[in-house]
Amino acid sequence: MAPSSVFLLLFMLLPNGLSSLSNGKQKPVYERKRQEFTCIGCVLMVSIVEQLAQVHNFSQKKLWRLCSYLPEKMNLQGICFLASEIFGPTIIRMIENKMNTDVVCHAIHLCKQKAGQPSCHLYPLPKMGLNVTMKKFERMAAVKILKHMHDLPGLCSLPFLKNLCENIKSFIKHKLPYEDFDGDKFSIFPTLRGYYWRGRDCDDADASVYPGRRPDEWDAKLDSNCNGIWGVDPKDGIPYEQKFCNGTESKGVIILGDSAAAHFHIPPEWVTASQMSKKAFSNLLEALTNELDWPQFSEVTGFLNSTIGGWTESLYLQLRKRNRCNHRDYQNLSKNGGSSENVLELLESLARNQQFDKPAVVIFAMIGNDVCNGSPDTVKHMTQPKEMHTNVLQTLRYLDSYLPKGSHVILIGLVDGRFLWDNLHDRYHPLGQLNKDVTYEQLYSFLSCLQINPCNGWLSSNSTLRNLTSERASQLSSVLKEIAKIEKYTNFDVFYMDYPIKEIAEMWQKMGGETWQLIEPVDGFHPNQIASALGARIVWEKILHKWPHVLGKENPFNSEIAMIFKDQGGH
Ligand code: CA
Ligand code: CA
Ligand code: CA
């Protein structure tokens, strides 16, 4: 059947088409049946688009053109646009994910299950059931539309999509951060707290499959812990996971931290006139859906090569190199603004099961926000040592009830932020480079004036205040040190380490660099990519030297794993 005749048929079937042909007397019948007609119309429309994409390999462009031929007044066009948007570029993935027409039409509320009646479907029901698959679809549509918002500005203004867009917006606001279909907190999407933040889910339809779990029946049949190791050695019938990972002290790494640990970064090319271009903003959407953080390059959980200058080194990559059974076992629970006061909120997103999962090394790194705030009365708003003590004990108690036995917690002290002012105040900010007219001192006082200075204590021309802030930071670090010395827990041991800012600067100077080059140029506050990479190297060496058991043994089978499983399914 030629597409045009198909559209004609649809036109006849749709309720709007019928009512436009009907007179007043017939209305009640159609009103009653309106719901059903709408559903059939949607199912037909979506089926056709899906099949055109699948069988004729219609490109999305071609589908869009077809949609535009449809009468604008009717729901048809909207459904057609949506279906081509959903199926056009990703038909294969949709099929893999067992999405079908019924799911789409239920998800966009054109087919509804009536109370006390079975749900109607044209195609075989998805294995996971209609409701689960619908949820999955809703999230997929949300992500797709979010991703295309910049080149499909008109999509949400289509009358039909208005409601959907509203739903998606509120969905993004309320249901995210986890772009996760089976509810195990691990995702197949990079941003929106997806696998840039914690290891990629290798089966997002099965909540018992996720990174960090102890292998189910030695992963003889499938990779239950997503580390890329599974199956049975045909030579002796022993599962590879048992052969290569059993007894190797495999474990994951989890970071509870602030914007430094999430790796906050605003690309300088966004604000530097000489570098501004369309290309400079090509990463804008990704950055925004990632809260302006770049955990994929960060000090603790970085795993991708940096695209924001410097290079990537991380505790996770080291831990993976030491034991390839640790592949994908990382979680970055950090958040911009994280501090000892709100760390319990971050902990709600922890994914670790005492019974089923491997132990973890948890890094607690709230390096500034307990003394940094934008209040004019900044000292008054800093955390008191007593409060710090209470907050951290609460955190550790929580961890003790969730971490598997044999875990470790490392408390990192607060940074001494005086190096920020010392190294930057008389240098030009990217905004002032063109005309040599904005220094960091000016930027800091402008931010203070607006009461949005990220740290009035350290980013200040008042040296007494800077010293006071460092003094409080040092007191708070002492609290952490004391806790590590005294407190004992059932499921982990606790250690303390200073934030190695001095060592990072020294190492960078030895490499020929200058200290100011370690600070984020746009905000003049955060450690940048180079500081993160060097920090990872220093922290790793310190742990290895002082508490080697925290990192586990080196796996003697690493090269065999690499030979058989190559990149272990990638990240
Ligand atoms: Ca998942
Ligand atoms: Ca899963
Ligand atoms: Ca495995």
Side-chain angles (χ1 to χ4, degrees):
M1 197 185 296
S4 55
S5 58
V6 172
F7 285 135
L8 195 67
L9 179 74
L10 264 169
F11 179 79
M12 305 282 288
L13 275 168
L14 272 187
N16 286 349
L18 283 166
S19 57
S20 68
L21 296 171
S22 66
N23 60 39
K25 276 178 194 166
Q26 286 167 306
K27 208 175 170 189
V29 181
Y30 292 120
E31 274 305 305
R32 245 185 294 145
K33 284 282 162 198
R34 192 187 163 90
Q35 176 68 49
E36 285 73 10
F37 279 123
T38 310
C39 181
I40 291 171
C42 178
V43 168
L44 272 175
M45 183 81 250
V46 174
S47 299
I48 291 160
V49 173
E50 180 188 353
Q51 286 162 25
L52 285 174
Q54 193 183 343
V55 179
H56 299 292
N57 205 11
F58 269 26
S59 69
Q60 198 183 10
K61 244 190 191 162
K62 208 163 173 183
L63 289 170
W64 274 73
R65 206 166 56 228
L66 276 172
C67 296
S68 68
Y69 297 154
L70 294 169
E72 204 176 310
K73 269 189 188 163
M74 302 165 50
N75 286 348
L76 266 184
Q77 200 180 49
I79 304 170
C80 181
F81 276 124
L82 178 72
S84 56
E85 176 51 31
I86 297 293
F87 288 108
T90 52
I91 183 75
I92 292 160
R93 228 186 69 202
M94 295 296 285
I95 292 169
E96 270 174 6
N97 281 296
K98 311 284 185 294
M99 292 292 152
N100 69 27
T101 302
D102 295 306
V103 174
V104 175
C105 291
H106 275 88
I108 60 181
H109 304 298
L110 292 183
C111 293
K112 281 179 193 157
Q113 184 175 3
K114 287 194 174 155
Q117 288 179 19
S119 76
C120 311
H121 55 93
L122 180 62
Y123 297 92
L125 273 181
K127 258 191 202 151
M128 286 180 280
L130 194 58
N131 282 342
V132 175
T133 320
M134 255 169 63
K135 275 197 191 120
K136 204 169 158 174
F137 167 80
E138 277 172 23
R139 296 179 191 209
M140 187 177 277
V143 172
K144 282 201 68 64
I145 290 190
L146 188 75
K147 277 192 180 147
H148 287 279
M149 257 175 194
H150 57 304
D151 53 56
L152 300 176
L155 200 62
C156 285
S157 65
L158 287 169
F160 166 75
L161 286 179
K162 234 179 185 165
N163 263 344
L164 184 73
C165 285
E166 284 307 312
N167 287 346
I168 287 169
K169 275 184 206 149
S170 85
F171 169 79
I172 287 168
K173 223 167 153 189
H174 301 295
K175 295 200 192 165
L176 295 173
Y178 308 110
E179 216 22 79
D180 163 29
F181 297 143
D182 55 8
D184 58 12
K185 293 182 177 166
F186 295 87
S187 167
I188 53 171
F189 291 101
T191 61
L192 297 167
R193 297 263 159 180
Y195 65 79
Y196 280 175
W197 298 81
R198 55 180 110 205
R200 188 154 61 91
D201 194 351
C202 53
D203 185 348
D204 207 13
D206 186 342
S208 69
V209 171
Y210 54 87
R213 67 164 290 159
R214 292 201 309 271
D216 183 25
E217 296 183 2
W218 296 116
D219 283 5
K221 289 199 187 89
L222 58 89
D223 189 11
S224 71
N225 54 14
C226 302
N227 67 359
I229 300 168
W230 64 288
V232 172
D233 188 343
K235 277 181 271 170
D236 48 22
I238 300 172
Y240 286 116
E241 180 94 36
Q242 183 176 10
K243 210 175 212 180
F244 295 151
C245 301
N246 190 17
T248 63
E249 301 178 353
S250 171
K251 60 187 80 183
V253 62
I254 298 170
I255 167 83
L256 277 172
D258 49 25
S259 51
H263 205 22
F264 185 87
H265 163 77
I266 298 175
E269 57 272 21
W270 293 359
V271 300
T272 314
S274 59
Q275 294 172 31
M276 263 182 217
S277 66
K278 204 176 164 193
K279 195 173 162 263
F281 289 102
S282 59
N283 52 5
L284 179 67
L285 200 75
E286 179 177 285
L288 290 179
T289 50
N290 235 7
E291 303 157 45
L292 289 175
D293 296 325
W294 309 72
Q296 67 270 35
F297 311 136
S298 69
E299 179 166 351
V300 176
T301 63
F303 62 93
L304 287 180
N305 286 336
S306 169
T307 58
I308 55 171
W311 65 95
T312 303
E313 284 181 51
S314 74
L315 296 189
Y316 162 69
L317 283 178
Q318 289 281 12
L319 210 55
R320 178 184 181 271
K321 194 171 146 203
R322 192 169 178 82
N323 184 350
R324 293 189 73 118
C325 302
N326 298 336
H327 181 65
R328 286 201 193 141
D329 194 358
Y330 59 90
Q331 295 182 43
N332 194 321
L333 312 185
S334 309
K335 206 169 168 77
N336 301 338
S339 72
S340 79
E341 253 170 64
N342 56 33
V343 60
L344 280 177
E345 286 166 35
L346 307 183
L347 270 173
E348 281 171 17
S349 65
L350 173 74
R352 212 70 179 178
N353 185 298
Q354 230 153 20
Q355 195 185 344
F356 298 116
D357 298 348
K358 296 176 186 177
V361 182
V362 177
I363 312 283
F364 176 97
M366 300 295 177
I367 66 169
N369 292 322
D370 283 281
V371 295
C372 285
N373 59 70
S375 166
D377 201 358
T378 184
V379 178
K380 216 176 137 192
H381 288 83
M382 294 177 185
T383 305
Q384 299 278 355
K386 252 192 194 163
E387 293 167 331
M388 186 81 172
H389 191 255
T390 313
N391 296 340
V392 175
L393 285 192
Q394 231 177 337
T395 305
L396 293 175
R397 261 200 303 275
Y398 185 99
L399 285 172
D400 204 24
S401 59
Y402 282 90
L403 291 180
K405 208 168 175 58
S407 294
H408 314 278
V409 175
I410 296 175
L411 305 172
I412 307 273
L414 280 77
V415 72
D416 183 348
R418 281 177 292 196
F419 76 98
L420 296 167
W421 175 269
D422 295 345
N423 285 289
L424 284 187
H425 75 277
D426 54 358
R427 299 192 63 87
Y428 289 115
H429 184 266
L431 282 176
Q433 271 162 16
L434 186 66
N435 297 314
K436 306 265 171 264
D437 54 0
V438 182
T439 62
Y440 282 93
E441 178 167 8
Q442 283 162 265
L443 173 81
Y444 296 154
S445 70
F446 177 60
L447 294 176
S448 295
C449 174
L450 295 174
Q451 301 199 13
I452 53 168
N453 188 324
C455 195
N456 266 347
W458 278 323
L459 309 184
S460 157
S461 56
N462 179 341
S463 65
T464 316
L465 181 59
R466 297 200 301 272
N467 291 337
L468 247 162
T469 308
S470 288
E471 197 181 306
R472 177 65 64 85
S474 152
Q475 287 166 353
L476 299 183
S477 296
S478 299
V479 171
L480 297 176
K481 210 181 218 169
E482 214 37 42
I483 288 174
K485 211 190 279 171
I486 294 170
E487 301 295 333
K488 296 279 172 275
Y489 294 90
T490 314
N491 294 308
F492 55 82
D493 43 11
V494 200
F495 304 98
Y496 170 84
M497 186 189 291
D498 284 325
Y499 186 84
I501 188 66
K502 264 191 209 140
E503 290 98 321
I504 292 172
E506 279 166 17
M507 189 178 270
W508 182 234
Q509 282 155 13
K510 265 189 209 150
M511 292 164 76
E514 292 179 56
T515 312
W516 64 269
Q517 295 166 327
L518 296 168
I519 306 166
E520 274 293 313
V522 175
D523 59 55
F525 180 54
H526 292 94
N528 71 0
Q529 186 61 36
I530 299 169
S532 293
L534 295 177
R537 196 186 300 180
I538 290 163
V539 170
W540 174 266
E541 277 162 16
K542 277 193 174 182
I543 301 176
L544 196 60
H545 180 72
K546 287 171 127 173
W547 319 295
H549 74 285
V550 167
L551 305 174
K553 287 180 262 186
E554 192 154 356
N555 189 336
F557 301 106
N558 280 336
S559 55
E560 275 177 83
I561 295 172
M563 212 166 63
I564 296 170
F565 297 101
K566 309 287 187 262
D567 72 349
Q568 296 174 255
H571 283 95

